[in-house]
Amino acid sequence: MRSAAYEIAVFPGDGTGPEVVREGEKVLGALAEGGPSPWRLTRFPGGGQYFLATGREWEPEAAEAARRADAILLGAVGWPGATLPNGDIAGRALVLGLREGLDLYANVRPCKLYPGVKHRISGEYRSVWAPDRVDLVIVRENTEDLYTPARGRLTRGGETEVAIDTRIITRKGAERVIRRAFQIAAARARGAPEDGVHRVTCIDKSNVMEGCRFFRETFDRVAAEFPSIERDYAYVDAFAQWLVRNPEHYDVVVATNMMGDIVTDLAAVLQGGMGFAAGANVGDAHGMFEPVHGSAPKYAGKNQVNPYATFFAIEQMLRWLGARHRDERLVRQADRLERALAATLADGGSGTYDQGGTATTSDAGDRVAAAVRGEPR
Ligand code: IPM
Ligand code: MN
């Protein structure tokens, strides 16, 4: 616990990023009313659009601020045509660059379905999964696997002959993300919706791949430190099916980077779509929090996208800061925000286009800010 305000570096980024971040700032403002603000937000430009305008992804002081900040809030990066000379997306520095540079080795993506949220499937809005059956957390490794910059092309006579990406699984990388998954499972109030059992499921393809066999061996070794938590295993292909069919079986799930990237988007369907999916990129010393949906260029400037993913990212950020600094005030603010989110969702959902509604991004932000004000501090 400390008296100085927490420094939060805010990177609105590209496309719809600034629109959802603006609503996030609104909600943080509402939470801070009635006392000295527990946090101070500083915005920094950067991303693909910034690159097109300036030739730089961001400024050196922004990179420095990210390193010094107590937490980072990121909107989204990526813009059509914004590509670095080496072919990477411009804005990479803000996402993949910070994951690597600040060693944010765990990507924690909760997947919880709140009452009042619908799923869009086959173009229709339905309630397929019962809200009390979807409450899991996917923990994705965030620094290695196919994302390791061990890749390249063999070009002969100006023609690409071969393109290679190398899948790297390290002992350190696997061990720490698996341990983080077990710690998260140990801290969860309830286990899996199906049976209340605290369980960690290891997602891999160890029937084929060596890196996955090593990941699973590491899983077993780390699991021994947590005898009260059930170990569970699934090949990633089967998991894709079971996740949709029996989401209630899952409590905490741990996966390597690329498989985790894919299954978290699939899981987002269960929680109402990408408009609700938030991710925490956390290491031992730094944390970056983001909505997972990306910059959605098609919707940019329309004040139309769902800002709830950003609100859930902020909830995670406050919880993480509160735990890290043993600051009960922040945990209480996170609880207060979650109650406001749950209450507004129960009362008509997000109302935004992705849920079949006509509410704008700022309407949704106004409603949540008002609900926050009505919640006891
Ligand atoms: C995510 C995104 C990123 C990733 C992209 C934007 C590089 O899809 O956070 O899931 O692949 O990790
Ligand atoms: Mn992704």
Side-chain angles (χ1 to χ4, degrees), residues 87-139:
D88 279 341
I89 65 158
R92 175 192 195 285
L94 285 72
V95 196
L96 301 174
L98 285 176
R99 289 178 185 169
E100 290 159 12
L102 302 182
D103 204 13
L104 308 174
Y105 59 81
N107 194 323
V108 182
R109 299 187 165 180
C111 173
K112 181 173 156 83
L113 175 61
Y114 283 83
V117 174
K118 290 169 282 195
H119 326 282
R120 188 175 180 177
I121 297 173
S122 286
E124 280 182 49
Y125 298 92
R126 311 163 189 241
S127 300
V128 179
W129 294 277
D132 59 353
R133 307 299 274 170
V134 181
D135 183 3
L136 62 135
V137 179
I138 301 182
V139 183

Side-chain angles (χ1 to χ4, degrees), residues 340-359:
L341 295 173
T344 50
L345 289 173
D347 179 22
S350 68
T352 44
Y353 85 93
D354 56 313
Q355 287 280 295
T358 53

Side-chain angles (χ1 to χ4, degrees), residues 150-174:
R151 59 174 66 96
R153 285 174 184 234
L154 169 61
T155 306
R156 287 190 289 229
E159 213 66 68
T160 297
E161 301 265 353
V162 183
I164 298 178
D165 297 282
T166 316
R167 182 160 193 265
I168 292 175
I169 305 295
T170 69
R171 175 186 290 271
K172 171 178 162 179

Side-chain angles (χ1 to χ4, degrees), residues 295-334:
S295 62
K298 200 165 97 183
Y299 295 98
K302 296 192 174 152
N303 193 26
Q304 218 183 328
V305 295
N306 184 348
Y308 272 76
T310 301
F311 303 151
F312 283 115
I314 289 170
E315 185 214 326
Q316 279 197 83
M317 178 176 83
L318 299 179
R319 234 176 255 298
W320 177 82
L321 275 171
R324 181 168 160 69
H325 298 276
R326 297 197 170 75
D327 191 338
E328 267 305 311
R329 287 177 312 167
L330 270 78
V331 178
R332 279 200 306 273
Q333 292 284 31

Side-chain angles (χ1 to χ4, degrees), residues 33-372:
E33 278 168 16
S37 180
W39 44 75
R40 188 164 64 217
L41 311 179
T42 312
R43 276 181 174 232
F44 298 92
Q49 291 172 291
Y50 190 76
F51 176 79
L52 290 179
T54 65
R56 293 180 302 277
E57 291 181 272
W58 56 352
E59 298 301 328
E61 47 281 17
E64 187 42 42
R67 181 168 292 280
R68 274 201 322 265
D70 292 303
I72 300 164
L73 178 64
L74 176 70
V77 295
W79 194 250
T83 310
L84 300 178
N86 70 356
D88 279 341
I89 65 158
R92 175 192 195 285
L94 285 72
V95 196
L96 301 174
L98 285 176
R99 289 178 185 169
E100 290 159 12
L102 302 182
D103 204 13
L104 308 174
Y105 59 81
N107 194 323
V108 182
R109 299 187 165 180
C111 173
K112 181 173 156 83
L113 175 61
Y114 283 83
V117 174
K118 290 169 282 195
H119 326 282
R120 188 175 180 177
I121 297 173
S122 286
E124 280 182 49
Y125 298 92
R126 311 163 189 241
S127 300
V128 179
W129 294 277
D132 59 353
R133 307 299 274 170
V134 181
D135 183 3
L136 62 135
V137 179
I138 301 182
V139 183
R140 162 189 173 191
E141 202 290 322
N142 216 22
T143 58
E144 54 182 49
D145 186 7
L146 279 166
Y147 282 62
T148 318
R151 59 174 66 96
R153 285 174 184 234
L154 169 61
T155 306
R156 287 190 289 229
E159 213 66 68
T160 297
E161 301 265 353
V162 183
I164 298 178
D165 297 282
T166 316
R167 182 160 193 265
I168 292 175
I169 305 295
T170 69
R171 175 186 290 271
K172 171 178 162 179
E175 216 168 81
R176 62 189 186 174
V177 76
I178 292 166
R179 189 168 290 116
R180 185 63 73 100
F182 275 93
Q183 287 163 347
I184 290 170
R188 270 168 54 96
R190 286 175 295 273
E194 176 179 70
D195 50 13
V197 170
H198 291 270
R199 165 182 299 126
V200 179
T201 306
C202 179
I203 303 301
D204 59 52
K205 189 72 186 171
S206 57
N207 49 346
V208 179
M209 290 194 276
E210 201 56 43
C212 282
R213 283 198 270 270
F214 185 46
F215 192 78
R216 193 180 275 212
E217 282 162 31
T218 309
F219 176 85
D220 282 332
R221 196 153 31 76
V222 174
E225 298 166 18
F226 299 88
S228 64
I229 296 173
E230 188 180 289
R231 313 177 195 186
D232 186 39
Y233 308 88
Y235 297 139
V236 64
D237 48 347
F239 175 71
Q241 180 208 161
W242 293 335
L243 174 67
V244 172
R245 213 181 55 189
N246 300 101
E248 61 274 11
H249 177 69
Y250 298 103
D251 177 16
V252 176
V253 169
V254 65
T256 50
N257 201 347
M258 183 80 252
M259 291 177 187
D261 180 42
I262 297 167
V263 297
T264 50
D265 274 25
L266 175 60
V269 178
L270 306 178
Q271 66 189 135
M274 296 302 278
F276 296 96
N281 301 263
V282 290
D284 293 327
H286 299 274
M288 175 168 77
F289 303 82
E290 52 172 347
V292 182
H293 50 62
S295 62
K298 200 165 97 183
Y299 295 98
K302 296 192 174 152
N303 193 26
Q304 218 183 328
V305 295
N306 184 348
Y308 272 76
T310 301
F311 303 151
F312 283 115
I314 289 170
E315 185 214 326
Q316 279 197 83
M317 178 176 83
L318 299 179
R319 234 176 255 298
W320 177 82
L321 275 171
R324 181 168 160 69
H325 298 276
R326 297 197 170 75
D327 191 338
E328 267 305 311
R329 287 177 312 167
L330 270 78
V331 178
R332 279 200 306 273
Q333 292 284 31
D335 289 343
R336 188 171 161 226
L337 173 56
E338 196 196 2
R339 287 193 307 267
L341 295 173
T344 50
L345 289 173
D347 179 22
S350 68
T352 44
Y353 85 93
D354 56 313
Q355 287 280 295
T358 53
T360 64
T361 309
S362 30
D363 291 339
D366 289 342
R367 251 180 94 223
V368 171
V372 159

